[in-house]
Amino acid sequence: MNNELEQLRGQIDQIDDKIIALFKERMQVSDKIALVKKEHDMPTLAPGRERAVLARVAEEAGEEFADYTESLFRTIMAASRSYQNIRSGKKSAVYESVKEALENTAQLFPQRAMVACQGIEGAYSQIACDSIFKSPSIMYFKSFDNVFKAVESGMCQYGILPIENSTAGSVNTIYDLMLRHNFSIVRSARLKVSHNLLAKYGTKLSDVKEIFSHEQAINQCAAFLAGMKGVKVTVVENTAVAAKMVAESGDPGVAALSSRFCAEHYGLQTLQANVQDQDNNYTRFICISKKPEIYPGADRTSFMMIISHKPGSLYNVLSKFYALGINLRKLESRPLPDREFEFMFYFDIESSVYAPEMERLFLDLESESEEFRYLGTYNEVIC
C-alpha cells in the first residue's frame, strides 16, 4: 500500500508543478492587464468578468467538481486582483494617512492630558485612565456617547471607553457608537476587574434587599447574584455611581457591586469581596483621540468594514489575513441601522505598522469593500 500511495503522491507532485507553471503564466498576463487598466484608468475589480469566468469554469468542471472549482478560481482571482493593485502603482489612502500619522506623532506617549471618562470618580474607566496616563485631568460624562462627542469636538484630547470583558463579552453600545463618530484609537489597556459587594458600615449580608451596579458588572457576577434570593438587582450608569448611591442612601438594605477603590472613596464596607464569576476577569479599554496618533511599539490595528451582502464576501476578507500571515485578534459584527440584514464588521489585527504586507492588505480591503474605516494603530498595556 505504501508503494501505491507514494506513486499517487508522485503524480500529484507532477500535476502541482504544472499548476504552478500555469499559475505563474496567468499572473504574468494579469500583470499586462494591470498596465492596460492603469493606462485607461479602469478599476481593478470587474464583477461581470469574474461572474462569467466562474460560470464557465463551473460548467467545464462538471456537476461533481463545480463547487470546488469555483472556490479555487475565486482564490486565484483574488490573488490576481491583489497583484494587479500592486503592479498598477495604486496607493492605499489609508496607508498614506498611516505614514502621515507616523511622521507627525511624538516619540513619547503623553503623560498629562485632558481625558473624558464616563461616570464619576471611582469608575473603572477612571482607574484605566490612571493606568494609561501619569497625571491626567479627567472630565466625567454621563454617557459613552458624550465621551465620543467630547473628543470629537476637541473639548478633551482623549477619551477612555470599555470595549470588551473576558466574562461578559463585547460592550455592544460602544461598537454601535463607533458607527456614528469619527475618532482614532491610540492605545488600549487590559484592566483586571474585581467586583465587591459594598454597603454602609453596620449592614449585614442578610440585610441586603437591593443591589445597584452597571449592566456589565451584573452580568459578570451572575452566579453570586443568583444565590441572593429575593434581592432586587437594579442597573445604573456605572459601578461608581452605584457605590455613591449606596453611600448617600438612607436605606440600610441597599448595596453596590463596585471596586475596592470605591469602598475607600465613598466610605463603604466590603460585605463580600471578589464576587465575579471568574477570578481571571479583565476589561479591555480603548483610549481614543480626534486624529490618528501612532506611537513607537504599535503592533495592533483596528478597522471597520462594510462588505457586500453575498456568499463568500467575509471569507474573501478573512483569506487575505491568512495569505499575508497576519493574525486576526478579534472579529465583531454589528447590524447597520436602516439596512436590513447588513452588518459593519470590526477587526483587530496583530502586525507591525511597518510590515510591508500592511500596505498591501489596506489596498486590497479598500478596493473590495463598500466602506472601509481605519480606526488606529496602537499597543496595549496591562494594568
Side-chain angles (χ1 to χ4, degrees), residues 1-41:
M1 186 181 77
N2 288 340
N3 289 337
E4 182 182 3
L5 183 60
E6 289 303 314
Q7 288 177 2
L8 292 172
R9 284 174 173 171
Q11 292 179 34
I12 289 288
D13 291 341
Q14 291 175 16
I15 295 169
D16 286 346
D17 289 341
K18 294 177 183 178
I19 291 174
I20 292 169
L22 289 171
F23 178 72
K24 289 171 64 177
E25 184 178 345
R26 192 185 197 282
M27 294 297 273
Q28 288 164 0
V29 175
S30 185
D31 184 16
K32 295 176 182 178
I33 291 174
L35 298 178
V36 173
K37 288 181 177 178
K38 180 181 180 182
E39 182 180 352
H40 296 279
D41 195 27

Side-chain angles (χ1 to χ4, degrees), residues 279-342:
D279 187 54
N280 187 31
N281 184 33
Y282 285 86
T283 295
R284 181 171 171 242
F285 292 83
I286 53 173
C287 176
I288 64 170
S289 68
K290 185 176 182 179
K291 296 181 179 180
E293 299 175 8
I294 304 176
Y295 293 93
D299 60 0
R300 181 178 292 199
T301 294
S302 297
F303 54 86
M304 303 177 83
M305 291 178 63
I306 299 175
I307 58 179
S308 58
H309 184 54
K310 60 183 182 182
S313 295
L314 181 58
Y315 168 78
N316 186 41
V317 172
L318 297 178
S319 66
K320 297 184 187 303
F321 302 135
Y322 177 75
L324 294 172
I326 295 174
N327 185 35
L328 177 62
R329 295 288 300 267
K330 183 177 178 66
L331 171 60
E332 186 79 21
S333 66
R334 296 299 300 158
L336 289 168
D338 305 321
R339 294 176 66 171
E340 191 173 4
F341 301 118
E342 292 195 55

Side-chain angles (χ1 to χ4, degrees), residues 91-151:
K91 297 291 184 182
S92 163
V94 168
Y95 198 72
E96 291 302 306
S97 69
V98 168
K99 291 195 293 186
E100 183 180 349
L102 284 167
E103 292 174 0
N104 296 330
T105 304
Q107 291 296 300
L108 293 176
F109 190 81
Q111 296 298 297
R112 295 173 176 82
M114 178 63 73
V115 185
C117 290
Q118 186 267 344
I120 60 175
E121 190 76 13
Y124 285 111
S125 291
Q126 175 244 309
I127 298 172
C129 180
D130 286 336
S131 299
I132 293 173
F133 297 93
K134 182 178 180 180
S135 183
S137 298
I138 301 177
M139 188 176 292
Y140 292 103
F141 295 88
K142 286 187 176 181
S143 69
F144 295 135
D145 188 35
N146 285 335
V147 172
F148 276 105
K149 289 177 179 177
V151 173

